[in-house]
Amino acid sequence: MSAVQGTDVDIPTDDGTADAYLTHPADGGPHPAVLLYMDAFGLRPRLRAMADRLAGAGYTVLVPNVFYRSGRAPVVELPGFIDPQARPDIFQRLGPIMKSLTPDRAVRDADAYLEWLARAPEAARGPVALIGYCMGAGLALRTAGTRPDRVAAVAGFHGGNLATEGPHSPHLVAENLTAEAYFAHADHDPGMPPEQQERLEAALAAAGVPHRCEVYTGAHHGYTQADTAAYDERATERHWEAVFDLLKRTF
């Protein structure tokens, strides 16, 4: 793993300015770009550490605060460790913010993030890879399906509601996908039940793109997040293996 350099950056969007974290190898050269979509708890030390691990493997990683319309990160105050007792109060505050990020807004924001990366000297030219966690898995899938020419690979981990019966379900854009896809579900996740897993798999298969969907047995929703009670070290290391395998094939 190489030394990395991380910094806070601001990204202009149609609706304001999104604060973000940018990290990359400290060698000064351009590197393949990864757009990392946050989970619902937002841009915080855990996600910065995950982005730094990616950067240490040779990638330039951008982690935007997708809730920027509600303020700079952290948008809501979080404890250092998020236990089950803290979650109801946190999500009571996060709920309206999450709902305000409509599909149209998400797509417009994705354009801003991708354009910013395309101009960043730290990022190599060409398509990027997308990685999303929790709600970020849906944002990654939606971005890959609406901007297929800009995305070479997409991965989502413990995503929820990726393939609902609603008219704006993220899986509905899969028909446009050209990127290789990988999605890893938690088997203890009511937000992504078997019927949604099957619907997502069918959509990816119909798109004809290389893909793999897996269920991490014994893992709970949020298994990659070490600052929460859902953290599962074994599942998280399996996730890292999948991420790095995908990136190696992509770039």
Side-chain angles (χ1 to χ4, degrees):
M1 304 292 284
S2 61
V4 304
Q5 180 178 343
T7 187
D8 293 326
V9 299
D10 287 337
I11 301 173
T13 76
D14 288 346
D15 296 326
T17 300
D19 51 310
Y21 179 63
L22 178 73
T23 181
H24 53 88
D27 59 12
H31 295 271
V34 177
L35 175 57
L36 192 158
Y37 278 118
M38 63 186 224
D39 64 347
F41 295 129
L43 180 54
R44 61 194 192 284
R46 173 56 181 170
L47 287 189
R48 292 171 186 262
M50 295 176 75
D52 285 344
R53 182 164 176 175
L54 285 167
Y59 303 99
T60 290
V61 187
L62 180 68
V63 192
N65 167 26
V66 303
F67 294 153
Y68 70 88
R69 292 176 181 84
S70 298
R72 300 180 73 86
V75 175
V76 302
E77 184 177 354
L78 298 172
F81 182 78
I82 303 168
D83 60 29
Q85 289 71 36
R87 292 176 71 93
D89 178 63
I90 294 171
F91 275 103
Q92 184 176 12
R93 288 176 284 152
L94 281 176
I97 298 173
M98 295 171 67
K99 289 180 181 178
S100 71
L101 185 60
T102 63
D104 286 344
R105 285 180 168 181
V107 171
R108 292 204 310 271
D109 289 347
D111 285 340
Y113 306 148
L114 293 171
E115 286 300 323
W116 192 91
L117 276 172
R119 295 192 300 269
E122 300 87 355
R125 303 285 74 85
V128 308
L130 308 177
I131 303 173
Y133 299 91
C134 180
M135 59 165 280
L139 295 175
L141 177 55
R142 194 178 301 281
T143 300
T146 54
R147 300 294 181 264
D149 59 319
R150 308 293 297 277
V151 180
V154 56
F157 297 91
H158 48 81
N161 297 314
L162 299 180
T164 72
E165 295 181 329
H168 303 296
S169 177
H171 83 286
L172 295 175
V173 303
E175 63 183 4
N176 303 320
L177 216 65
T178 57
E180 181 176 351
Y182 177 88
F183 288 89
H185 314 300
D187 68 346
H188 296 296
D189 191 347
M192 195 64 189
E195 59 268 23
Q196 286 200 43
Q197 296 175 22
E198 293 169 4
R199 194 176 292 129
L200 174 61
E201 174 87 38
L204 293 171
V209 297
H211 70 277
R212 191 164 83 233
C213 296
E214 297 184 320
V215 176
Y216 288 10
T217 303
H220 292 261
H221 180 80
Y223 56 77
T224 62
Q225 301 305 306
D227 57 353
T228 77
Y231 179 64
D232 185 312
E233 182 177 7
R234 182 177 178 181
T236 298
E237 290 308 309
R238 180 178 175 183
H239 129 277
W240 282 120
E241 291 177 6
V243 165
F244 289 125
D245 283 348
L246 180 64
L247 295 179
K248 287 177 183 177
R249 290 194 299 275
T250 302
F251 299 122

